[in-house]
Amino acid sequence: MEKINYKIDHSTNNLKAYNNSDTLQYTASWFLEFGKTTSEIYNLKNETIYTIAKKFKFWKWRMSYNISPKNKESLVLISSNTANSIFKLQLDKDLYEVQVHYFRKQSVFKNGIKIAEINDAFAESFEENTSNVLLLNSEDLEIIFLLYTCLKTGIVNQKSVIKSQKELISLKEKWGS
């Protein structure tokens, strides 16, 4: 199956998703509100389609993201391990899982099937502060951008200290070049 290439540009506290013909698809921004980090995702009409609140569950030592979709029930993306390298989100009948790998890459699974791979290794990218995204289906871009925005909420400096490699998951199947 042919994989579809997208890119996400980072600018301080903003993200912008583009298709392969550089047409803007979604935008996101985050800010500090009442002591917690909050994100908003906008569609092309600049309407807020998701609001995200980042929380650290101190007693469980895990990160969680409360997601409020427009006109729908709230969702929760939560780390399933203390290393914060696996995150899960139940959306209707679908279970999404994000795995954080070595070398600043993430894989996204839907019901156990890999649907996307994200490469944040800017040194491998043609443009600095641009992440490369490979998707199996273009209809998944919205949920992939939502999951990605959750994980990037509150991160200002993209060239942050690398986590211990022991905490990350090995990448079993490499999609991109």
Side-chain angles (χ1 to χ4, degrees), residues 12-64:
T12 312
N13 62 338
N14 296 297
L15 298 172
K16 293 180 181 177
Y18 295 93
N19 64 13
N20 55 2
S21 60
D22 289 334
T23 304
L24 184 65
Q25 303 294 305
Y26 298 99
T27 60
S29 61
W30 60 89
F31 44 89
L32 195 60
E33 181 178 78
F34 303 114
K36 63 182 175 184
T37 308
T38 304
S39 293
E40 291 182 342
I41 296 178
Y42 310 97
N43 61 15
L44 292 175
K45 297 176 185 175
N46 209 24
E47 300 168 330
T48 303
I49 54 175
Y50 296 100
T51 301
I52 303 161
K54 180 179 181 179
K55 294 183 178 180
F56 183 69
K57 296 190 177 280
F58 183 76
W59 297 112
K60 294 185 177 186
W61 210 253
R62 295 188 179 158
M63 193 61 68
S64 73

Side-chain angles (χ1 to χ4, degrees), residues 87-89 91 94-98 109-110 115 143 147:
F87 292 85
K88 294 185 178 182
L89 171 73
L91 179 62
D94 297 318
L95 176 65
Y96 290 90
E97 180 178 283
V98 180
F109 295 83
K110 179 180 178 182
I115 61 168
I143 190 73
L147 296 170

Side-chain angles (χ1 to χ4, degrees), residues 82-143:
T82 56
N84 292 311
S85 59
I86 300 175
F87 292 85
K88 294 185 178 182
L89 171 73
Q90 185 73 44
L91 179 62
D92 299 326
K93 296 179 182 178
D94 297 318
L95 176 65
Y96 290 90
E97 180 178 283
V98 180
Q99 295 180 359
V100 180
H101 303 292
Y102 301 125
F103 307 113
R104 305 182 70 167
K105 295 182 181 180
Q106 294 103 36
S107 294
V108 181
F109 295 83
K110 179 180 178 182
N111 301 323
I113 298 169
K114 188 172 183 177
I115 61 168
E117 183 172 287
I118 303 167
N119 183 353
D120 275 348
F122 299 129
E124 297 175 14
S125 200
F126 292 114
E127 302 171 46
E128 188 159 325
N129 296 331
T130 300
S131 298
N132 297 309
V133 181
L134 289 176
L135 294 176
L136 281 181
N137 186 342
S138 62
E139 293 174 5
D140 291 326
L141 180 62
E142 182 175 325
I143 190 73

